[in-house]
Amino acid sequence: MVTPIHAQGKNAQSCLEKTAKGEALVIACLDGLKNVELDDEAIAKMQGILGDAYYEIDQFDAAIGVYKQLVIREPKNWIHNKDLGWSYWEIDQYENAIAAFDLSLALSPKSVTYRGKASSLRLLGRYELALETIHKALALAPKYRRNMLELTRIHNDMGNSELALETIDATILKNPESPYGWSLKGDVLMDLDDFSGAVKQYKMAVLINPEKRVFQNDLAWAYWDNEDFEEAISSFDAANAIENRANEMGGKASALSFLDRHEDALKLIHETLELDPSNVWNTNEKGWINFRAQNHKDAIAAFKETLMKDELYRYA
């Protein structure tokens, strides 16, 4: 049996291996493209592999550059604009993503492209158009889990929690083995301040896939909001064992302070800010940790520092 701790170690190793393979593939493609004897079809194929390799190792700017070249080389191939759109989506350039998705859809209407456009519209707050677009994706692939998940997100962001829960429950019923449905239901319940309900959903996601950092992180914050700080610390540790990130370290520091472990909390929040000094949430939390420890002068200094980083940050 693979325990969660073993799975986390396995995930970290698999991430390293995936990155190494991706970087090796990038090098191989760049070397291959130096071959002056390649014909246009071979160049396009190798560029496609290169763009995908960049995407897989999260080098989205590089991927965008390659996909743009492919759009010029093969303007009638819908895949290149689709890939370009998702690369823009990954770096939060949603208007550019929509433009690329529209060009792809004009060539060939595909479910994956409609979903990308719908997601981009949702993230821009254009909910009605997002809803219309995701239904076009569902018309092409009515049973596809990712389309149903996006529909749930749109309903939830529009404030239609009842519809969001109905949609996600139907998705979970069809795909109970997928952790994403359980996780998204947790997100909806978090927005409804049903923190204990969210904990149950995130625990299901973690049970199905303990290797996914985001599930451990979401579970930790649900425990934190439910004021179950010991469990929150355990889940923050699990998330950090997969990939160490400043937000999770800050969350653990906050949980420690609520348990009156102020010295440990202050040490951890300082270490966290050394890793990411610009993090506004952690800077503000340094203030609250000092406040709970009754270090009022240090608390005021931290809150002032927070407002220097973001003068509109209301929690300071």
Side-chain angles (χ1 to χ4, degrees):
M1 178 180 178
V2 178
T3 66
I5 295 299
H6 289 148
Q8 290 155 23
K10 180 182 177 183
N11 182 70
Q13 182 63 31
S14 66
C15 285
L16 288 172
E17 290 174 357
K18 182 179 178 181
T19 300
K21 288 179 181 178
E23 290 173 348
L25 191 55
V26 165
I27 293 169
C29 287
L30 290 172
D31 285 343
L33 287 168
K34 294 175 183 177
N35 185 349
V36 294
E37 296 181 0
L38 291 176
D39 59 22
D40 285 348
E41 184 179 349
I43 291 172
K45 185 176 181 179
M46 192 164 292
Q47 283 183 322
I49 296 170
L50 177 61
D52 294 348
Y54 277 134
Y55 188 97
E56 286 299 315
I57 60 174
D58 297 343
Q59 292 190 23
F60 301 116
D61 287 328
I64 286 168
V66 174
Y67 292 138
K68 280 183 174 180
Q69 292 176 30
L70 279 166
V71 167
I72 294 170
R73 184 176 293 278
E74 295 183 335
K76 293 184 179 181
N77 189 329
W78 68 273
I79 293 175
H80 303 326
N81 271 305
K82 181 264 295 182
D83 290 341
L84 179 60
W86 279 113
S87 297
Y88 277 128
W89 185 91
E90 291 284 1
I91 59 172
D92 304 337
Q93 292 190 20
Y94 303 121
E95 292 287 3
N96 286 336
I98 290 168
F101 287 136
D102 280 340
L103 288 170
S104 179
L105 290 166
L107 293 167
S108 182
K110 300 290 184 181
S111 172
V112 63
T113 318
Y114 277 124
R115 176 167 53 83
K117 181 179 178 180
S119 181
S120 300
L121 289 165
R122 172 178 61 84
L123 291 164
L124 289 170
R126 294 156 64 182
Y127 301 124
E128 293 295 340
L129 193 52
L131 194 59
E132 177 186 326
T133 305
I134 198 61
H135 278 297
K136 291 179 180 178
L138 284 162
L140 293 170
K143 295 183 179 180
Y144 189 50
R145 171 180 55 83
R146 291 187 180 182
N147 290 341
M148 295 295 288
L149 293 176
E150 184 57 38
L151 177 60
T152 301
R153 293 187 182 98
I154 293 168
H155 282 316
N156 193 47
D157 288 0
M158 292 177 76
N160 298 331
S161 300
E162 187 174 335
L163 276 174
L165 287 171
E166 285 179 10
T167 305
I168 199 59
D169 281 340
T171 306
I172 291 171
L173 189 62
K174 291 178 182 177
N175 299 279
E177 73 287 351
S178 170
Y180 295 97
W182 300 101
S183 175
L184 185 52
K185 186 173 182 180
D187 293 348
V188 176
L189 293 173
M190 286 288 284
D191 287 344
L192 293 171
D193 293 341
D194 181 0
F195 305 126
S196 60
V199 164
K200 293 176 183 176
Q201 307 308 314
Y202 292 138
K203 284 176 76 174
M204 283 299 299
V206 168
L207 182 65
I208 295 168
N209 185 358
E211 300 180 20
K212 192 79 172 176
R213 184 201 63 82
V214 68
F215 298 151
Q216 298 281 6
N217 178 53
D218 288 344
L219 178 58
W221 284 111
Y223 276 130
W224 188 94
D225 279 319
N226 205 39
E227 299 184 8
D228 190 345
F229 298 114
E230 291 285 4
E231 291 292 348
I233 289 169
S234 177
S235 292
F236 281 129
D237 282 342
N240 281 325
I242 298 169
E243 182 180 350
N244 204 1
R245 293 194 181 183
N247 280 348
E248 284 75 59
M249 291 174 66
K252 180 181 177 180
S254 176
L256 286 167
S257 77
F258 276 112
L259 293 171
D260 295 329
R261 294 169 60 183
H262 303 303
E263 187 175 338
D264 291 337
L266 285 168
K267 179 182 178 183
L268 183 56
I269 201 66
H270 283 293
E271 291 174 355
T272 301
L273 284 166
E274 285 178 6
L275 290 173
D276 184 5
S278 64
N279 191 300
V280 176
W281 191 92
N282 284 334
T283 306
N284 185 63
E285 192 55 34
K286 182 174 70 171
W288 284 110
I289 291 171
N290 275 294
F291 178 83
R292 295 179 200 116
Q294 297 186 12
N295 301 330
H296 294 140
K297 287 184 178 180
D298 289 338
I300 291 170
F303 290 138
K304 285 182 177 179
E305 185 183 352
T306 302
L307 292 170
M308 287 178 65
K309 293 177 180 178
D310 184 353
E311 62 183 12
L312 300 177
Y313 197 75
R314 63 189 179 94
Y315 298 105

